[in-house]
Amino acid sequence: MPASSLRAANTDDGLALEIRGVSKAYGRFPALKSVSLQAKDKEFLALLGPSGSGKTTLLRVLAGLEQPDEGEVRFDGEDFLALPVRKRRVGMVFQHYALFRHMTVAQNIAFGLTVRPARERPGKAEIKQRVSDLLDLVQLQGLEKRFPSQLSGGQRQRVALARALAIEPRMLLLDEPFGALDAQVRRELRRWLRELHDRAGVTTVFVTHDQEEALDLADRVAILKDGELIQLGSPNTVYEQPATPFVFDFLGQACRLPGVVQDGRLTIADWESPAPDGAPQGRVNVYFRPDEITFAPGDGAGLAAEVLGVAQRGPDVRIDCRIEGELMELIGHGPTLPPGVAPGLSVRVRPLRPQVYAPA
């Protein structure tokens, strides 16, 4: 279950970002196909999808690094595409930091301010104070005189975020900012980034291919595939109510079996249960999570399964089964095997929350 499912919904109804029918092609390759979505003021929006889904292209359009072939982008009601990049006041953080190696931490953070035209540049005292405030915000106090080579990967990414925030952006764009970090550092920075977003109060668009990151961080998640927007909703909505088999499969481990829906009943092989609300009639594909199941003895209710092997996975147990001729890896919660489950035995498996889709 996504941790952010318990996060309070954004109550500010004011729209900040509006993307309408944006398309972009590179030669014959369509990177974006008429994508439309919106983000509220101060919302944290994740763009999630596999490689080639168009998420980074969309982010580059917002940053002014790409010009769309068609469509419109508005921010606070203003035509964003008509603005020069400098006047968009967008802060961008890349995967590989892009820090200046010959500059100190303080100089890197201040860079966006010091290169402004003289009439727009804050005074030296103001820049120094803003850098100090940002060092406090990103928890790097006392490191202002260090160079990037003297920092850890996580510290470098914090500097990159501070530099993006120094210009007081209207929108913060994050392009897989944790991609170059190891798993433990990613988890630590994830919680910190959400807290930073809430304190900074800036509309944020975050690109990632990591489902856990998107579900954990975002107020809403936009799922893209082959340049198209497939689903947009809260982390809880997209996880609990996937719009398509692709979304179900992409957001976590999935098991699939053929079934039939008729007169409000779902039948899979010799097992029958109430069909989910809104399920299509006739032949269907049934999806369920490998850990959202119960086991019963071979003469109980459920799908007939042959247990092929078991393996301890920390607090859980992996159970390899054959169900209706399909090899499946199921997960039992707890350090011990469910009753009656052992290699070579026949058991019954009952999906707890199956999702049903019409065949493609």
Side-chain angles (χ1 to χ4, degrees):
M1 177 72 62
S4 54
S5 64
L6 301 179
R7 185 179 298 134
N10 190 331
T11 57
D12 187 347
D13 291 329
L15 287 179
L17 175 65
E18 298 178 81
I19 299 170
R20 304 173 184 170
V22 167
S23 297
K24 175 67 178 179
Y26 299 101
R28 295 184 178 181
F29 173 72
L32 294 171
K33 304 174 187 176
S34 193
V35 172
S36 298
L37 56 87
Q38 300 170 328
K40 296 178 182 178
D41 183 39
K42 301 180 179 62
E43 184 174 26
F44 197 120
L45 175 69
L47 304 181
L48 175 66
S51 298
S53 61
K55 56 190 186 297
T56 295
T57 300
L58 184 56
L59 199 77
R60 290 174 62 84
V61 168
L62 299 179
L65 302 176
E66 298 285 355
Q67 189 70 18
D69 301 325
E70 297 178 359
E72 183 180 6
V73 177
R74 305 191 75 82
F75 195 90
D76 287 341
E78 190 174 18
D79 184 355
F80 215 49
L81 298 180
L83 291 176
V85 173
R86 183 172 59 84
K87 293 189 176 181
R88 294 188 187 190
R89 280 181 52 204
V90 167
M92 189 156 183
V93 179
F94 300 92
Q95 177 177 342
H96 295 289
Y97 325 127
L99 299 179
F100 298 108
R101 291 178 294 177
H102 65 287
M103 291 184 181
T104 65
V105 166
Q107 290 169 336
N108 266 285
I109 294 173
F111 179 77
L113 301 174
T114 58
V115 297
R116 283 180 175 175
R119 65 182 181 278
E120 301 175 13
R121 188 185 311 143
K124 290 183 178 180
E126 183 180 346
I127 291 176
K128 184 177 180 180
Q129 184 60 52
R130 194 176 300 182
V131 169
S132 177
D133 291 343
L134 285 165
L135 284 168
D136 288 342
L137 184 65
V138 300
Q139 300 171 1
L140 291 178
Q141 306 95 322
L143 302 184
E144 60 273 11
K145 294 183 179 180
R146 291 193 184 183
F147 289 89
S149 61
Q150 298 171 305
L151 304 176
S152 68
Q155 289 173 329
R156 293 180 199 175
Q157 199 56 282
R158 289 176 187 237
V159 174
L161 280 159
R163 182 178 62 184
L165 291 170
I167 63 169
E168 297 181 326
R170 295 193 292 171
M171 182 164 53
L172 184 61
L173 305 179
L174 309 176
D175 189 7
E176 306 222 32
F178 305 144
L181 305 174
D182 64 52
Q184 180 62 33
V185 175
R186 289 170 74 114
R187 283 191 293 270
E188 292 172 356
L189 283 184
R190 206 156 61 205
R191 183 177 302 169
W192 170 82
L193 176 59
R194 178 68 212 199
E195 293 173 355
L196 177 67
H197 163 83
D198 292 340
R199 291 176 63 186
V202 60
T203 303
T204 300
V205 182
F206 173 78
V207 161
T208 182
H209 65 273
D210 188 308
Q211 301 89 332
E212 186 179 332
E213 278 184 357
L215 297 176
D216 196 32
L217 276 169
D219 295 312
R220 288 191 303 154
V221 180
I223 300 173
L224 290 91
K225 177 178 181 285
D226 297 331
E228 296 183 287
L229 178 65
I230 305 299
Q231 187 171 3
L232 173 64
S234 70
N236 194 56
T237 296
V238 298
Y239 187 85
E240 300 290 345
Q241 304 168 34
T244 67
F246 165 77
V247 175
F248 191 104
D249 194 51
F250 188 69
L251 291 181
Q253 291 180 283
C255 299
R256 185 184 72 173
L257 288 169
V260 176
V261 173
Q262 187 173 0
D263 298 328
R265 306 294 293 179
L266 169 64
T267 303
I268 310 173
D270 61 348
W271 177 62
E272 185 179 291
S273 72
D277 293 340
Q281 294 292 303
R283 294 187 179 278
V284 294
N285 287 323
V286 183
Y287 285 72
F288 58 94
R289 301 291 179 199
D291 61 335
E292 294 182 348
I293 45 128
T294 59
F295 290 91
D299 57 353
L303 297 166
E306 177 188 359
V307 180
L308 303 177
V310 298
Q312 195 76 27
R313 272 188 168 181
D316 297 327
V317 180
R318 187 188 73 205
I319 303 166
D320 296 321
C321 293
R322 180 179 287 109
I323 303 175
E324 290 299 299
E326 298 287 336
L327 296 178
M328 295 188 182
E329 181 183 298
L330 306 180
I331 299 172
H333 294 298
T336 59
L337 284 171
V341 174
L345 296 184
S346 295
V347 297
R348 291 278 174 167
V349 174
R350 182 165 59 89
L352 297 177
R353 298 191 305 159
Q355 297 278 345
V356 176
Y357 302 94

